[in-house]
Amino acid sequence: MSKDLHHIDDIFKNGLEGKEDIPSQKVWENIEKELDQKKSRRPFLLFPNSRKIAAILLISLGSAALFAGGYLLRGVQLDNAEKSQNRPPIEKNIPRSSGTRDAGTSLTPPGSNSTIRSDAKNGTKQEAVAGESNKVAGSINVDAETAVETEQKVKAEKAPPLASSSGNPSKNYSGSQTPSKPTQPEKLSRGTGTELSKVPAPEKAPQNVIADPSTTAVAANQTKKSGTLSNDHKAVADHETPATLSTNSTPEPSPTNQGEMKKSPSASPNAVDNTIPGTADNRSVNPASEISHQITEAPTSPNREIATEKQLPISTQAFSNNKLTVATSAAIPVLNKKQGSVNLPRFSLTPVVALQFGSNRIKENTAYANSGKVKDEITRTESQPSSIAGGILADLKISRNMTLQSGLVYTSRSIHIDPKNIIAERNPDGKVRYRFDCSAGTYFIKKAQGYTRPGDTAMTKFSTNDLNYLNIPLGLTYHFGGSEWHIFVMAGTGLNLLTRQYLETGLKYGYYEEEDTKVTNLNNSYFNGSLGAGIIWSPFKKISFTINPQYQFALTPMNTNMPVKALPRIFNIQAGMQIRL
Amino acid sequence: MAESEQNNLNNLEHLIGDCMSGIRHAQNRVYELFAPKMLPVCLRYAHDRDEAEEILQEGFIKVFTHISQFRKDGSFEGWVRRIMVNSALQRYRDRARMFPVVSLQEELVEKSTSNETYSNIAYKDLLELVQKLPPAYRLVFNLYVFEGMKHKEIAAALSISEGTSKSNLYDARLILQREIMKLEQVNTQKLACL
């Protein structure tokens, strides 16, 4: 029975196998129509590499947008900075602690020498301790040269113009002297030693009116040190100087500053005019000179407007320039506090070296029946030693704490493959070669001697597969911490371009021929994601050092059309020297 | 001879590469090359020519859509043929509920036959005999005889048991034997008339 039925199989196989038949024309028309519809639904179908190209374009456009955004942001910051510079310097760093303080709580005792500044809003005058006075009050000796120099400096600093007495050199003003520019709230004068009047001076007047906690320390130090200071430095000790500068707008002319200049009962005869903004030299007065500020409105008011913190930076600078280190030391905590945040450069380059520990994540390609077997073999026979990578990274600051990072990193990985059996078969060119499957792809190896037939087996020696890639990372890093030490976290992606691949192996009965070791099924590129964190040490202004552990994982396999998909994953420790540009 | 084969291989590689790029002219060329070979395959799995052409159409669309998955180290013709068979199987699975339950009314009796008896039966007649088989029998017969699959593989492909596969194959052979004997009788009568 079975013999006859099996014979039927042969009859049908011989009668039907190998025949050809022409299909009708409508079949191709329908195929074409269907393909057109699929093409319209899937535009990427036409170009196998179009997804990669699209991804590269997307990354490039994103980078360009971020760079452009960074520049725009930088431009806005520059504009703001420029606007800030056009303002009086004193308006920077404005604290909110302005207010009044009762005279009883003021550090200024009654009868101390004071300078008076105008309040642009209410026209009141505020007194501040000018410094230690000696003998003369209310006498004005104008030194023309000094006045001219001072005026120039004042103009240069865009401060409110001060009264100049240059038109009347060496002119002595008496108590009823009318200023040449009555609209000016204050008048700069430098005494030449001529006494106009004398008033009893306090034996030792406190130096300052201290307005707020930050300046209190300055005043305290200054007061403490006043005994050791030279006379001219003592005379400069006035925190109210910046407050005078704060009268940016011209005050309303008042009888005080329009009319005759009155002597203040409490004014020090040697009161130093501290109305010159910013320039410390103006405060380095000649010890022999007697400078008095003649603008007086009223005796020391019981309520004095305290100096504001916004005056502190200039005051500090003035003290510093006058070598009053006691004052600057008090201000240091404030400055340090401002410098404590991360100070990222706008652009930096970082040559890096990385120690890499790599492995391949092997996934079965279910389209192939032998995927499990191949996966087991590759997993069992392959291992990767550590390797070195190097390159250069560029960071562009895109916000206060965030940078965009890209660059070029060259990686060289070696995969060690234990000896294994390989089988000869025809390669894509139709030649019989030993097929060597590994995670990177398929190599067809020709035995150097002898004839190879399909199905022949051979044992390989210990093999090494070298893969070199050029990695183009693109990531965002977020920095936080101090200015000298800070840490960062980063996340990003990268494109890995294959630059070189090579298999070094040997067969038991003869070495392969190099010309036949071209790999197939290895993609020219793959994408990876990366996560990392690091620390940056900035001991110098332009140079920083960074250590950055990072984990890179493949988003796309590095091979194709194989029973397994190989997804490289690399843990690397990256060290670099950041050059701030 | 070998050189012309190598040229054909190179040309085919170029065609496949162009098909991967979606070049319509290359797709048409591949269709013209392989459609005549694939149509008889589809005809064996189909009930009639129209159904075979539908299978052929579906198969070639899959070929051009997934041509990037073709492993270049294998035979392209074998890959296309496998797609055609899979298309036929998929069609059978989709329409399995529409097929009537096979019930052979006539008692199938084995009769002694010889190889010479069927030597004169034309290709068209043999194809018609296969197409007349019930779908389940036809599939098992085709997979076993033409694709060289084992009963275990057939059972997995059609989601049936191995016993069912063997039974279907046996029944298919008996049917074909009976039909061939009928054809033989007709041919004998024709010869007698002449």
Side-chain angles (χ1 to χ4, degrees), chain A residues 414-476:
Chain A
S414 290
I415 302 172
H416 291 175
I417 306 170
D418 293 335
K420 62 180 180 180
N421 270 318
I422 54 177
I423 303 172
E425 63 177 53
R426 292 192 179 277
N427 68 359
D429 296 332
K431 298 175 183 177
V432 179
R433 297 286 184 269
Y434 286 98
R435 181 186 177 114
F436 189 105
D437 281 322
C438 60
S439 58
T442 304
Y443 292 86
F444 286 94
I445 302 168
K446 181 185 179 184
K447 196 161 65 175
Q449 298 173 347
Y451 180 73
T452 308
R453 291 167 298 184
D456 287 353
T457 60
M459 176 68 78
T460 64
K461 295 182 177 179
F462 188 83
S463 310
T464 303
N465 185 18
D466 292 332
L467 298 173
N468 296 353
Y469 284 94
L470 187 65
N471 177 251
I472 305 173
L474 181 67
L476 286 174

Side-chain angles (χ1 to χ4, degrees), chain B residues 104-109 178:
Chain B
L104 298 177
Q105 301 295 330
E106 300 178 28
E107 185 183 355
L108 297 174
V109 180
R178 186 189 61 191

